[in-house]
Amino acid sequence: MAEEFSPADLNRAVIEEFRANAGRVGGMFEGADLLLLTTTGARTGRRRTTPLAYMDDGDRVLVFGSNAGAPADPAWLSNVLADSRVTVEIGAGDGVETYEATAMPLHGPERDRLYALQSDRVPAYAEYQRMTSRTIPVVALHRAGSDRSLAMGDQLVRIHAGLRHDLEVLRAQVETYLGGRDTADGHGDDGGAAGGEAGAARPAPDLAVRLRTHCLAFCDALGAHHDGEETRGFPPLERRYPDLAPVLDRLRREHVEVTRLKDALRALIDDLESADPARVRAELDRVTAGLEAHYAYEEEQLTAALNAMSAADWAGPAART
């Protein structure tokens, strides 16, 4: 009987071959632009190394959360949302160069342009996007010490922009689902019988599944972001700026409320087939307003302070002695 290998076994083999052969590997990755990205586990705090395809982009490199077109984002993405400080290993001539970096997710036209460029270079990435209804993330890796790597306030704004975008997409999908339900149940836009004609199609069952998958991905990303702030973001910020203590205390309390909003959102999506559309829309408005107020306050209070933090500030008191 052929020996079976788990994904973890295969990753481990690729990592060992990469490090032993100056960043070159064979098999399915032969000839590919490959790097090793080491992140800190969002829940465990353990260091995790993942082989990833990359694309050079000036003074930074880009990696892509394709997860081979799977419905959910890869685990490493949640890790960088919780702690953007990462380690990169990349082939450099006859050896492997290792450096510290800051991971910054990209959004909007910049993300779209760069993902299209990668799809042109490696057509498999166009197929990955066709295989999934989620927008495959693009993450820029900036070397530690560069101006962009230390602009953690800008990173906070980028993360919030991504979370806002993901919630907008989720809301649009919910509206599509509810619109299909209204039509099938005889509640068309004109309020007449046209929406209830015999044979009117109900929303496709897989749409409900995709909604739950997207909701779970959004909630996990939001939770990872706040876990990272609580454990690795706020403590050094509080050491550097003691006067921010009341702001950080308020944000910690808001994180508790955001957890309630997140749980309410998941319960809402889980019960979407039978829920009253008016209640669904009102609850989505409440969740969106609560999250927006939290994002706006945090950005107003912390962006400038985060951008002023130095590498030594993040490293802690030991780094300054």
Side-chain angles (χ1 to χ4, degrees), residues 23-283:
R24 293 181 290 272
V25 299
M28 63 186 295
F29 296 113
E30 185 170 4
D33 293 325
L34 200 69
L35 60 73
L36 302 183
L37 182 70
T38 299
T39 62
T40 301
R43 289 186 169 81
T44 66
R46 296 174 184 162
R47 300 284 279 169
R48 304 289 190 188
T49 299
T50 308
L52 294 172
Y54 75 90
M55 181 175 75
D56 281 312
D57 185 46
D59 60 353
R60 63 186 185 176
V61 295
L62 308 175
V63 291
F64 307 88
S66 68
N67 210 10
D73 287 329
W76 64 261
L77 186 71
S78 293
N79 294 347
V80 301
L81 289 175
D83 189 341
S84 61
R85 293 167 292 179
V86 300
T87 302
V88 176
E89 298 171 66
I90 196 167
D94 294 330
V96 173
E97 180 187 10
T98 302
Y99 60 87
E100 302 305 306
T102 300
M104 294 188 177
L106 305 180
H107 303 283
E110 182 183 23
R111 176 265 167 211
D112 296 344
R113 176 179 63 82
L114 292 168
Y115 194 85
L117 183 58
Q118 174 68 353
S119 297
D120 288 342
R121 294 174 67 247
V122 185
Y125 280 84
E127 181 60 23
Y128 294 152
Q129 187 59 85
R130 282 192 290 269
M131 291 167 60
T132 181
S133 56
R134 66 187 173 90
T135 299
I136 291 177
V138 178
V139 177
L141 305 176
H142 298 276
R143 285 177 180 267
S146 68
D147 290 341
R148 289 207 280 184
S149 77
L150 291 175
M152 300 303 287
D154 295 343
Q155 169 76 334
L156 175 71
V157 173
R158 282 177 177 267
I159 290 173
H160 285 173
L163 291 169
R164 287 181 174 108
H165 171 76
D166 290 346
L167 184 56
E168 286 176 7
V169 170
L170 181 64
R171 291 195 61 156
Q173 291 173 333
V174 169
E175 195 58 43
T176 297
Y177 184 88
L178 294 177
R181 268 188 51 193
D182 286 346
T183 300
D185 291 341
H187 304 294
D189 290 341
D190 61 2
E197 291 177 357
R202 298 191 68 84
D206 66 328
L207 178 55
V209 174
R210 292 201 304 272
L211 277 169
R212 291 190 181 95
T213 300
H214 286 190
C215 180
L216 180 62
F218 170 77
C219 291
D220 283 350
L222 181 61
H225 169 54
H226 284 166
D227 288 346
E229 286 186 328
E230 296 271 359
T231 59
R232 294 182 286 276
F234 289 175
L237 193 61
E238 204 161 18
R239 285 195 301 267
R240 177 67 177 81
Y241 300 104
D243 290 348
L244 281 177
V247 171
L248 297 177
D249 285 344
R250 170 174 164 173
L251 288 171
R252 290 184 179 104
R253 292 193 299 271
E254 287 187 3
H255 285 176
V256 175
E257 178 57 28
V258 167
T259 297
R260 294 194 186 100
L261 291 174
K262 183 178 67 174
D263 292 344
L265 178 62
R266 290 183 65 170
L268 189 70
I269 300 301
D270 284 343
D271 192 38
L272 201 57
E273 289 91 343
S274 59
D276 173 56
R279 186 181 72 83
V280 170
R281 293 178 175 112
E283 187 67 12

